[in-house]
């Protein structure tokens, strides 16, 4: 599984609702975890590997030895949010680029697990940040869309380099 890099238009397509909670879905999630760990990420959304589904995997420890920290979210939706804070984020679709993003400090999320069971979980701090970042991917929203004008200016040349590399294939 390869991670799609900015500015590939695939990243803007987002995901569609998952309807089949079958073995294929579980295999996709497992392959996404492997890719995420290989790339030293803490979260990965299906559109980032070219799959247009509302499917997200994350492990805020980012370590495959901590399988207890693994969470798979299918068709997730943020139902409530609280607080605001800025912190640095990166994204596997933007290698080497880091920028401050404002996010809610806690979120309550409705989602389904791989068995199709409805879940409702509150996430706080770093986990809440990861959840908001990954759920954005499902709507084709990227973290660079959420930067302040000062941060946008600061990373502009890095983004332009990525765009040029993409044009050159
Ligand atoms: Co990302």
């Amino acid at each position: 599984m390869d991670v799609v890099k900015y500015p590939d238009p695939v990243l803007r397509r987002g995901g569609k609702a998952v309807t089949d909670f079958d073995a294929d879905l579980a295999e996709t999630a497992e392959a996404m975890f492997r890719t995420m760990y290989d790339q030293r990420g803490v979260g990965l959304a299906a559109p980032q590997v070219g799959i247009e589904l509302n499917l997200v995997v994350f492990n805020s420890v980012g370590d495959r030895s901590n399988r207890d920290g693994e969470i798979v979210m299918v068709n997730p939706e943020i139902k409530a949010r609280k607080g605001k804070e800025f912190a640095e984020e990166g994204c596997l679709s933007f290698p080497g680029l880091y920028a401050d993003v404002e996010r809610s400090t806690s979120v309550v999320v409705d989602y389904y697990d791989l068995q199709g069971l409805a879940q409702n979980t509150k996430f706080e701090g770093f986990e809440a940040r990861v959840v908001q970042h990954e759920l954005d991917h499902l709507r084709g929203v990227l973290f660079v869309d959420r930067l302040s004008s000062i941060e946008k200016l600061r990373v502009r040349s890095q983004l332009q380099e990525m765009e040029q590399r993409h044009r050159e294939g």
Side-chain angles (χ1 to χ4, degrees), residues 17-30:
V18 171
T19 52
D20 298 324
F21 293 81
D22 54 12
D24 277 356
L25 185 70
E27 277 168 32
T28 300
E30 188 52 38

Side-chain angles (χ1 to χ4, degrees), residues 11 43-45 48 89-94 133-134 137 141-143:
L11 293 171
L44 191 62
Q48 287 183 279
E89 288 184 18
C91 179
L92 293 180
S93 296
F94 294 79
H133 177 116
E134 299 310 331
H137 277 298
V141 175
L142 303 171
F143 80 127

Side-chain angles (χ1 to χ4, degrees), residues 25-81:
L25 185 70
E27 277 168 32
T28 300
E30 188 52 38
M32 284 169 63
F33 272 122
R34 281 200 300 273
T35 303
M36 183 190 88
Y37 293 132
D38 288 346
Q39 313 263 327
R40 300 180 181 282
V42 292
L44 191 62
Q48 287 183 279
V49 289
I51 298 172
E52 283 182 58
L53 286 179
N54 289 339
L55 170 66
V56 155
V57 304
F58 75 96
N59 179 344
S60 59
V61 181
D63 184 341
R64 66 179 91 227
S65 68
N66 174 42
R67 303 221 67 166
D68 290 346
E70 292 185 352
I71 294 182
V72 179
M73 287 182 167
V74 183
N75 301 340
E77 213 179 304
I78 294 176
K79 304 306 279 190
R81 36 174 93 239

Side-chain angles (χ1 to χ4, degrees), residues 56-123:
V56 155
V57 304
F58 75 96
N59 179 344
S60 59
V61 181
D63 184 341
R64 66 179 91 227
S65 68
N66 174 42
R67 303 221 67 166
D68 290 346
E70 292 185 352
I71 294 182
V72 179
M73 287 182 167
V74 183
N75 301 340
E77 213 179 304
I78 294 176
K79 304 306 279 190
R81 36 174 93 239
K82 249 190 196 162
K84 285 280 176 202
E85 73 184 350
F86 279 95
E88 191 176 74
E89 288 184 18
C91 179
L92 293 180
S93 296
F94 294 79
L97 189 128
Y98 299 90
D100 278 354
V101 184
E102 188 182 49
R103 301 282 187 186
S104 302
T105 49
S106 79
V107 288
V108 178
V109 187
D110 276 354
Y111 64 97
Y112 294 88
D113 64 19
L114 282 174
Q115 284 73 46
L117 296 172
Q119 306 285 337
N120 173 270
T121 310
K122 182 178 185 179
F123 298 95

